[in-house]
Structures are given as C-alpha cells and as structure tokens.
C-alpha cells in the first residue's frame, strides 16, 4: 500500500493506493491479529487469577468464571497457534482456514460480489466481510478480519479480484 498526497480547494487530500506485489506468484497470506488474541489471553488469565486468589467470591461464580476464562484462553491460544487460522488471497481465488477446522476455497469466477455486513449488538456494531457466491448469491462470511479493518480487507480482495478476473 502506498500513500499519495494532493492539495485540493478544501485542503490536503491523502489517498491510500493499493499496490499488489506479483513477484511471488501474487499470493498474500493474512493471519489473525496477535494483539487482540494476546489481550484476550491475558484478560482471561487475569480473570482466573482473580478468582483463585479472592476468597470472598461464592464457589458457583468462581467455577463459572474459571470455566469461561479457560475457554477464552484456549480459543485465543488456538488462534495464535501457527497454521491454525489464515486467509490466502491469490490467483486461484480466496482460501482460508479457521481454528484447524476448515479449509475453504472459492475461485474468483464463483465470487459475484463482496460486501460488508454490520452486526449491531446492544453495545457495539461489528463489521464482517461477506462473499456472495454462485448463481444464487449465497452469502458466505469470512470468520475473521485477519488484523485488518473490514473496508481495508474488502479493498484488498477487490484489488486481487480485478486483476485475476
């Protein structure tokens, strides 16, 4: 990615330009954000430590918190494990693996369009990248944003799609 600056009537305009390096067969591999999963792991460890050192918490809440935090810690370790989760974008299409379970592959000719879905919860809005596949436009969501913002990930995928279709 490169940055381009230009002066306009309204002030300085900054453009982010996508450049794709096609020297190594044009394949880009993205991995989950290690900072996010490390923060979850540390938060879960802190929750377990707090429950084990605090004697005033009821046993039910101690066991419940330890079970939830252990599950969160396990999921974060699986996400950070090398080779467990990745997104590969290249000449053949999009391929991803999520927590050692899935190895999904879609060719560029099968992808009709790419969009962003907003999921609203009580406290926040989450953005997820969705691929529309096949003649029925079946929506398939990517399991992670792989350390990118949803808009940026869509721009990367669209740039590869425009080159290889």
């Amino acid at each position: 990615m490169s940055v381009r600056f230009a002066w306009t009537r309204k002030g300085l305009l900054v453009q982010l330009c996508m450049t794709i390096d096609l020297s190594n067969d044009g394949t880009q591999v993205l991995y989950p954000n290690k900072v996010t999963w490390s923060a979850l792991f540390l938060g879960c460890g802190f929750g377990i430590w707090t429950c084990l050192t605090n004697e005033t918490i009821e046993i039910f809440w101690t066991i419940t918190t330890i079970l939830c935090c252990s599950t969160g810690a396990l999921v974060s370790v699986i996400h950070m494990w090398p080779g467990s989760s990745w997104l590969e974008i290249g000449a053949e299409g999009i391929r991803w693996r999520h927590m050692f379970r899935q190895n999904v592959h879609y060719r560029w000719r099968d992808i009709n369009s790419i969009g962003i879905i907003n999921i609203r919860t009580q406290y926040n809005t989450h953005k997820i990248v969705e691929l529309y596949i096949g003649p029925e436009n079946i929506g398939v969501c990517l399991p992670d944003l792989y350390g990118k913002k949803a808009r940026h990930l869509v721009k990367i995928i669209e740039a590869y799609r425009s080159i290889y279709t």
Side-chain angles (χ1 to χ4, degrees):
M1 179 175 318
S2 62
V3 180
R4 192 180 314 159
F5 299 96
W7 287 99
T8 64
R9 290 183 201 169
K10 295 182 180 180
L12 180 65
L13 174 68
V14 179
Q15 292 180 327
L16 296 175
C17 303
M18 296 295 301
T19 56
I20 297 175
D21 182 21
L22 297 177
S23 60
N24 292 336
D25 77 356
T27 301
Q28 183 175 7
V29 180
L30 302 174
Y31 298 98
N33 190 348
K34 301 290 186 201
V35 174
T36 301
W37 293 107
S38 298
L40 177 66
F41 180 77
L42 291 174
C44 291
F46 179 74
I48 292 171
W49 177 77
T50 302
C51 285
L52 293 177
T53 58
N54 192 342
E55 297 174 0
T56 60
I57 301 176
E58 294 180 26
I59 191 72
F60 171 77
W61 293 114
T62 300
I63 292 172
T64 303
T65 304
I66 288 175
L67 286 174
C68 290
C69 288
S70 298
T71 303
L74 179 66
V75 168
S76 65
V77 166
I78 290 172
H79 267 281
M80 290 188 296
W81 199 269
S84 70
S85 300
W86 45 262
L87 173 70
E88 180 182 85
I89 309 167
E92 296 294 318
I94 297 177
R95 181 185 310 270
W96 70 81
R97 183 177 204 170
H98 184 66
M99 293 179 65
F100 290 116
R101 310 183 277 142
Q102 301 173 349
N103 195 355
V104 181
H105 179 245
Y106 291 108
R107 294 180 301 258
W108 291 121
R109 68 173 182 251
D110 297 334
I111 299 173
N112 297 330
S113 62
I114 302 162
I116 297 175
I117 296 176
N118 292 318
I119 297 177
R120 289 184 181 86
T121 62
Q122 184 177 0
Y123 303 107
N124 202 351
T125 300
H126 302 279
K127 295 182 183 220
I128 297 175
V129 176
E130 184 174 34
L131 309 173
Y132 298 98
I133 308 295
E136 295 88 24
N137 266 346
I138 297 171
V140 177
C141 293
L142 293 180
D144 197 349
L145 293 178
Y146 301 96
K148 308 284 185 200
K149 300 246 184 236
R151 253 183 38 219
H152 186 217
L153 185 57
V154 167
K155 285 183 182 180
I156 292 171
I157 294 171
E158 285 287 350
Y160 273 89
R161 187 170 172 242
S162 68
I163 290 172
Y164 292 116
T165 55

